[in-house]
Amino acid sequence: MTQSTWKRRAGTLLAALVFTLVVLPGAASSQTAPNQAAVFQQIDTLGRVPDDARAIFGDVIVPRQFFEGNPSGDPAGRYYTAGTLIHFPEVRQLWQVWLFTRADFTKATAVAVRDPETLKIKKTFILETWMARGTATAGYAGEWMHTVDPGKRAFVAMDPGTGALHVNEIDFVTHKATLHSNFLFGGAQAQFVGLRLGSITYDPFDNSLIGLAGGPSSLNAANTNTYIFKKNLTTGGTEGPRPLNSCTGPLPSVDSSRTYSVPILPTQAALFVPCHRLGMAGAVVRVARDNAFGADPNEQAVVGPVYVESVLADTTSGRLFLVTTKGEIWAFDTNTMSFVGVVSAAASGPSGVNVGVGIDRESGRVFFQSASYGLGVVEGRFFPIPQAITAASIRAEGQEKLWSDSRTGKLFVLEGMLGEKRQAYKIYKLGPAPTPPAEPDPDRSTIDRDEERGVTQSRYFASGSGYGFRVILANGVATIAPQPTAGVLAPGAEVMVQNLYSKCGFTDRELLAGRVQKAEYDTGSTAASAVAFDVDGRTKQDLERPSRCDFAINDGSNERFSGIFSTFQPAAEYDEGPGWKRDNAECTSFDGGEPSEDVGDDEEGNTDGVPLGKSRVECPLPGGVLRASAESSTEGAVAVGKAATDVTVRKTAKGVLSEVTSVARNIEIGGVIRIEEVRSVATSLANGRPSKTGDMSTHTIEMTGVSIGGDPICPAECNDIGATIDRLNRFGAGRVQFRVASGIDEKLRTGTKKGALTAVQKSTQRQASDQALVGDFTTDVAALEMIVYNDNTEWGRARQLYQFAGVSSVAGYSIALDFSAMQFDDPPSFDEPLDDLGADGSFDDDLGGPAPTSFTEPLPPIDEATGRTIGNPGGPIEGENPFTRAVLAVGRGLRLFFTSPRHALLLFTAWSLFSLPGVLSRRRRLLAAVRSL
């Protein structure tokens, strides 16, 4: 066979591969979404006081007002709670619970254990006191306070009205002895007067019960304490209660809200506790097990949305779901200490925030019921968290916890709230939960072998960015003046919300000093951008046109402020602001082009002649060294004497290397905290082969000269940065939080197994979290962060984020076979007849169409002008009937694979090489930023 014939056959196989790997997957992905209305199909109901239960327990389980629909005067909320459920899927038990009082006025709890599939009662038992609901007020609670040792034991909290914490242990077969804690929360002989139980959680790592308590009581402005304690079930010993230093607001389950117990998520190394901070901001606190209940615990807090009402826990995935009073469901990932998604379960409004929620412990699916969006399901183990699939036709207020049974595909929903809860559960049929998608593999683009001219070729990409100092005001002016609160009330914030009508008032603001925005270096080009001092785009618009901002005193006087806070449209000559005259230093260079350089110095490109620093970039052709740098300084409440970043990216004999150094020097915070220097250095080196010397990226932080009020913490180098941050956080007293190198992606820092990708940057989870909470869209890892919280229930989050010495470095390298330079010594032969030809010379039915008798015959020539076969004017036009032609090509490609797999795989590698530019381009976009949730 001639070489030209072989090339034509190779083209046929490549066409087949393109169709199979590009066209067919595209067709599959274009399938329409499932019919949302059909996701939830009601199949049954379960009455709250059904006949089979009354036949066993009698009418004592029926509250007096139940059938009249009037809960007034009903003791302890029995009307609200009668016949509600607890589900234990591991042992196939669905409990239905009733509180009742005997003739002698003793309290008791009746429990019917049902089969979740048939709903038939399997057994019953009675507890000799009332079971406790999930909150301080039984009528407002949405569940029974309980915890579970999966598949072995259930623990249910009993009526705490006697002043002692009672926990009943049940082994799913018999009722066992009551466990008594020695912690008294209320009562005449209480050790901790005013505290109430907020939750109990089973800790499987040391066979203990961990509890949360808060107080002094709901609706009390002093209700800002959260305590943690433990009872060891093996030894009977107790530890605590200890106040959680990071929780400075009311515990949701002891506050007056429509909520559930607040679970703790235990892991081998730590306990993760949801709670509130000042301003009703929800937080998740990581408490290290070492000395968790002692006087000096190790706590790390991540602050999320404002005013959390309920919390759900998925121990399998390590996620907590915080439900706010506005009907938002925020997913927190304990593995990365990040909020990884938010889903709206209800629209804001007087009735839209009453939401019932639940979680399936086996699949991690989160369910909700609301009057605005109806019944919904969220895939809680995905990342990013997808939006909910809802059935808007099933709209109803919700409060009681939703229970799901994966094995039978059932969902138990009780609609309504308080005195309007329905008298029967609705049971819906669900489909199976989808499997979370696998993470993309960056190593798929490299073949993990040494480079060899004429055999392999490489493509590479590296980038670096950073800043010396950065400020974000998340919610603009709301972050500035601290707003004192009384409980959940913030009078000052309310006045500002009612009177500040400025379009610019609550807009996020950003300031950057010593910023290298990008320095990108790849196989064919280089590009860089740097600026000494910069602000966000909205601020630039406001400076250009001040009339966008308006401010008025709403007291009837119609008094207006002139200038930037004007409420009227000024004449054109007065609507020309100073603008923002600072330009970035930028450069680009491509193959065949000339290197360029752009410099911004102290005299050129400044705003109103004020020196703002200098920046410099240099973009050589690939093969040279790409450089970018910027330097500036700031003054004010947080001043930085020098904020600078230097980035170099270059190709080396060992691969492609990115180096970033950022410095913040002579830092002064409020005239009280002083830091001589914070320095951060990141390097990333990739060469498409496994690293034999350790991590592919390095990241180092140095901090020197830290003092508080003149008291030195570490006058020289801070060797124990963790201890330094702890001292700073204690000084912040809950209003200010310090963090070091928070959120770094450790997997990328180590690098991929085959050496295709490595980076020093925030994980995608932390990027999503920072975008949603503080408007931070960068991948840079700050060496030091300071967050000032001014949150409250009037305007939600209001936070000042100060970041020092941020860096980000990325290196990617892939090696592929260079098919264009290959020579085949033994091309495959196709002289033999094809096995799948029929007696009449046609292909099998699954391929269809006529076939040539031999591939040795030359293909008929094509007229380039008409696209028709020469010598056959009526023949098919090239490209006509593409589906049939593609299927034929697939068949020929499969025959080549089975007759000569070596050459077929070589051709497949060549096709993969053709797709590399697209893959690399997409990877660059993914590394640049994470989409907003």
Side-chain angles (χ1 to χ4, degrees):
M1 184 174 64
T2 64
Q3 186 71 18
S4 60
T5 303
W6 164 241
K7 289 182 178 179
R8 285 197 297 271
R9 301 299 173 258
T12 301
L13 177 59
L14 288 177
L17 291 171
V18 169
F19 179 82
T20 305
L21 300 177
V22 177
V23 178
L24 292 184
S29 64
S30 65
Q31 294 177 354
T32 58
N35 185 353
Q36 295 184 358
V39 172
F40 301 99
Q41 298 180 2
Q42 185 175 345
I43 58 173
D44 204 349
T45 61
L46 175 62
R48 290 171 58 193
V49 188
D51 291 340
D52 57 355
R54 294 178 70 182
I56 297 173
F57 296 115
D59 289 339
V60 295
I61 65 174
V62 185
R64 292 192 302 272
Q65 297 85 357
F66 190 80
F67 291 114
E68 290 78 11
N70 178 16
S72 60
D74 190 50
R78 286 179 53 210
Y79 174 90
Y80 308 125
T81 64
T84 49
L85 302 177
I86 308 175
H87 183 37
F88 301 99
E90 302 87 353
V91 291
R92 316 302 304 143
Q93 290 190 11
L94 184 69
W95 290 9
Q96 196 166 15
V97 179
W98 298 269
L99 305 180
F100 68 97
T101 305
R102 293 191 175 92
D104 60 359
F105 300 105
T106 59
K107 298 176 180 178
T109 302
V111 179
V113 180
R114 296 183 181 272
D115 185 315
E117 183 171 2
T118 65
L119 300 184
K120 293 182 178 179
I121 295 178
K122 299 194 295 185
K123 56 188 173 186
T124 61
F125 58 87
I126 293 179
L127 305 177
E128 296 304 323
T129 186
W130 278 352
M131 192 182 294
R133 289 290 279 176
T135 68
T137 305
Y140 282 84
E143 69 165 344
W144 299 101
M145 188 178 295
H146 73 286
T147 187
V148 60
D149 177 5
K152 299 177 182 178
R153 295 172 293 177
F155 302 90
V156 293
M158 307 311 294
D159 177 31
T162 60
L165 165 62
H166 294 246
V167 180
N168 224 315
E169 180 182 1
I170 299 170
D171 65 1
F172 298 116
V173 178
T174 59
H175 170 216
K176 302 182 73 174
T178 299
L179 301 173
H180 292 272
S181 169
N182 64 349
F183 304 118
L184 303 181
F185 306 118
Q189 299 178 354
Q191 294 178 346
F192 298 92
V193 177
L195 292 187
R196 299 191 66 109
L197 182 64
S199 71
I200 53 172
T201 301
Y202 178 73
D203 183 358
F205 298 97
D206 64 358
N207 189 33
S208 65
L209 293 178
I210 310 170
L212 292 177
S217 65
S218 62
L219 299 179
N220 190 316
N223 181 19
T224 58
N225 302 292
T226 299
Y227 290 81
I228 186 171
F229 63 90
K230 181 177 83 169
K231 180 176 182 65
N232 191 298
L233 300 178
T234 302
T235 65
T238 58
E239 297 182 56
R242 176 186 72 79
L244 287 163
N245 301 323
S246 301
C247 301
T248 52
L251 185 66
S253 54
V254 301
D255 197 20
S256 181
S257 59
R258 305 173 184 91
T259 185
Y260 310 153
S261 300
V262 176
I264 296 172
L265 198 155
T267 66
Q268 186 106 32
L271 306 174
F272 293 88
V273 184
C275 64
H276 272 142
R277 287 173 69 90
L278 289 173
M280 303 300 294
V284 177
V285 181
R286 183 187 187 277
V287 183
R289 283 190 176 272
D290 296 341
N291 203 30
F293 301 90
D296 191 21
N298 181 0
E299 297 182 7
Q300 301 175 34
V302 177
V303 184
V306 172
Y307 213 158
V308 173
E309 189 168 62
S310 302
V311 180
L312 303 171
D314 180 16
T315 55
T316 301
S317 66
R319 288 189 174 179
L320 291 164
F321 298 89
L322 279 60
V323 186
T324 71
T325 55
K326 294 185 178 181
E328 301 167 340
I329 302 176
W330 289 76
F332 181 84
D333 182 57
T334 60
N335 301 299
T336 59
M337 292 293 287
S338 306
F339 285 91
V340 295
V342 57
V343 174
S344 177
S348 59
S351 62
V353 296
N354 298 320
V355 180
V357 293
I359 189 168
D360 188 295
R361 292 205 297 267
E362 295 183 349
S363 67
R365 302 179 104 179
V366 177
F367 301 91
F368 65 81
Q369 171 74 57
S370 75
S372 48
Y373 297 154
L375 195 58
V377 57
V378 182
E379 303 305 333
R381 291 179 183 171
F382 281 36
F383 178 78
I385 299 291
Q387 290 302 302
I389 296 177
T390 60
S393 60
I394 316 176
R395 290 187 175 133
E397 291 183 320
Q399 178 186 4
E400 195 71 23
K401 196 167 189 176
L402 280 61
W403 296 102
S404 170
D405 185 72
S406 291
R407 193 172 304 180
T408 60
K410 290 182 179 179
L411 179 67
F412 298 83
V413 180
L414 182 62
E415 297 177 351
M417 56 173 291
L418 297 178
E420 299 179 355
K421 288 183 182 178
R422 306 298 184 265
Q423 296 186 11
Y425 278 85
K426 292 182 178 180
I427 304 175
Y428 295 91
K429 181 69 174 179
L430 300 172
T435 302
E439 295 183 5
D441 181 14
D443 280 334
R444 66 186 183 276
S445 59
T446 185
I447 60 175
D448 183 17
R449 62 177 291 178
D450 292 337
E451 297 178 57
E452 184 178 353
R453 183 181 296 276
V455 178
T456 63
Q457 71 172 19
S458 61
R459 288 186 175 274
Y460 48 85
F461 169 80
S463 69
S465 63
Y467 50 78
F469 179 51
R470 183 171 185 241
V471 182
I472 294 179
L473 303 182
N475 216 1
V477 297
T479 69
I480 304 303
Q483 297 298 317
T485 60
V488 299
L489 302 177
E494 184 177 355
V495 171
M496 289 187 68
V497 169
Q498 291 177 351
N499 293 277
L500 183 60
Y501 295 101
S502 173
K503 296 178 182 178
C504 324
F506 298 100
T507 301
D508 291 1
R509 303 294 180 179
E510 181 180 13
L511 177 149
L512 289 149
R515 172 63 162 161
V516 173
Q517 294 162 318
K518 68 175 182 179
E520 298 179 347
Y521 183 107
D522 63 23
T523 306
S525 65
T526 60
S529 176
V531 62
F533 193 90
D534 202 11
V535 294
D536 61 277
R538 295 186 185 91
T539 298
K540 292 176 182 178
Q541 286 182 326
D542 298 339
L543 290 171
E544 188 71 27
R545 187 183 176 191
S547 64
R548 292 183 69 254
C549 305
D550 47 50
F551 181 81
I553 296 179
N554 191 24
D555 61 357
S557 64
N558 293 322
E559 182 178 352
R560 295 178 173 128
F561 292 90
S562 60
I564 196 169
F565 291 111
S566 174
T567 60
F568 61 92
Q569 288 290 336
E573 61 268 24
Y574 298 109
D575 198 23
E576 296 181 0
W580 185 260
K581 301 181 178 65
R582 185 73 182 184
D583 295 326
N584 293 6
E586 296 180 332
C587 64
T588 59
S589 181
F590 298 92
D591 284 334
E594 294 294 331
S596 62
E597 182 177 302
D598 191 6
V599 178
D601 56 32
D602 289 341
E603 305 297 331
E604 184 179 353
N606 294 321
T607 301
D608 293 337
V610 178
L612 297 178
K614 57 185 178 181
S615 57
R616 178 185 179 91
V617 294
E618 185 177 352
C619 297
L621 290 172
V625 179
L626 171 65
R627 293 185 174 91
S629 62
E631 180 180 335
S632 186
S633 61
T634 67
E635 298 179 355
V638 180
V640 180
K642 178 181 179 180
T645 303
D646 291 285
V647 179
T648 62
V649 187
R650 63 182 184 273
K651 181 77 164 56
T652 71
K654 295 183 179 180
V656 60
L657 175 66
S658 171
E659 298 177 291
V660 183
T661 300
S662 291
V663 177
R665 187 174 297 161
N666 297 327
I667 303 169
E668 184 171 318
I669 302 173
V672 178
I673 298 176
R674 289 179 173 82
I675 304 174
E676 181 179 318
E677 182 179 272
V678 177
R679 177 181 294 268
S680 182
V681 180
T683 68
S684 294
L685 173 66
N687 64 358
R689 291 166 289 258
S691 173
K692 297 180 175 60
T693 59
D695 297 339
M696 295 167 59
S697 290
T698 65
H699 182 221
T700 59
I701 296 174
E702 296 179 2
M703 188 182 302
T704 59
V706 180
S707 64
I708 301 177
D711 180 20
I713 298 177
C714 46
E717 183 176 354
C718 299
N719 296 318
D720 190 348
I721 295 180
T724 302
I725 295 302
D726 185 62
R727 288 283 301 275
L728 292 172
N729 279 329
R730 290 178 184 274
F731 180 77
R735 180 69 71 177
V736 179
Q737 180 186 16
F738 291 85
R739 302 190 302 195
V740 174
S742 178
I744 190 170
D745 192 324
E746 293 295 339
K747 290 183 179 179
L748 277 180
R749 186 184 63 80
T750 303
T752 58
K753 292 181 179 180
K754 293 184 179 180
L757 182 64
T758 185
V760 174
Q761 65 177 26
K762 288 187 229 173
S763 67
T764 53
Q765 291 85 353
R766 177 51 65 88
Q767 291 178 52
S769 185
D770 288 350
Q771 287 179 26
L773 294 172
V774 291
D776 180 2
F777 286 81
T778 68
T779 63
D780 305 307
V781 177
L784 176 65
E785 287 182 316
M786 181 182 76
I787 309 173
V788 181
Y789 297 98
N790 202 25
D791 306 316
N792 59 68
T793 55
E794 289 294 327
W795 54 46
R797 67 169 174 81
R799 299 166 189 179
Q800 303 172 29
L801 175 65
Y802 298 89
Q803 297 176 316
F804 305 91
V807 294
S808 174
S809 63
V810 179
Y813 206 102
S814 62
I815 303 171
L817 291 175
D818 187 359
F819 178 72
S820 62
M822 289 185 179
Q823 298 294 328
F824 295 103
D825 298 330
D826 184 23
S829 173
F830 297 95
D831 293 334
E832 299 83 1
L834 297 176
D835 293 336
D836 56 356
L837 288 178
D840 59 353
S842 64
F843 279 98
D844 289 343
D845 290 341
D846 59 333
L847 296 177
T853 57
S854 173
F855 278 116
T856 58
E857 298 177 1
L859 295 176
I862 300 296
D863 187 334
E864 295 182 358
T866 65
R868 297 183 182 276
T869 303
I870 297 177
N872 183 18
I877 298 176
E878 185 177 9
E880 192 172 285
N881 196 1
F883 184 82
T884 301
R885 291 173 178 270
V887 171
L888 290 173
V890 171
R892 294 164 186 161
L894 291 175
R895 282 193 298 277
L896 175 60
F897 179 83
F898 287 112
T899 56
S900 183
R902 174 175 174 271
H903 293 92
L905 290 174
L906 288 174
L907 288 173
F908 180 81
T909 303
W911 180 87
S912 301
L913 180 62
F914 296 157
S915 69
L916 280 178
V919 173
L920 290 172
S921 175
R922 182 173 183 273
R923 183 179 62 202
R924 289 174 60 182
R925 291 196 299 272
L926 290 174
L927 289 172
V930 174
R931 291 182 179 178
S932 299
L933 297 178

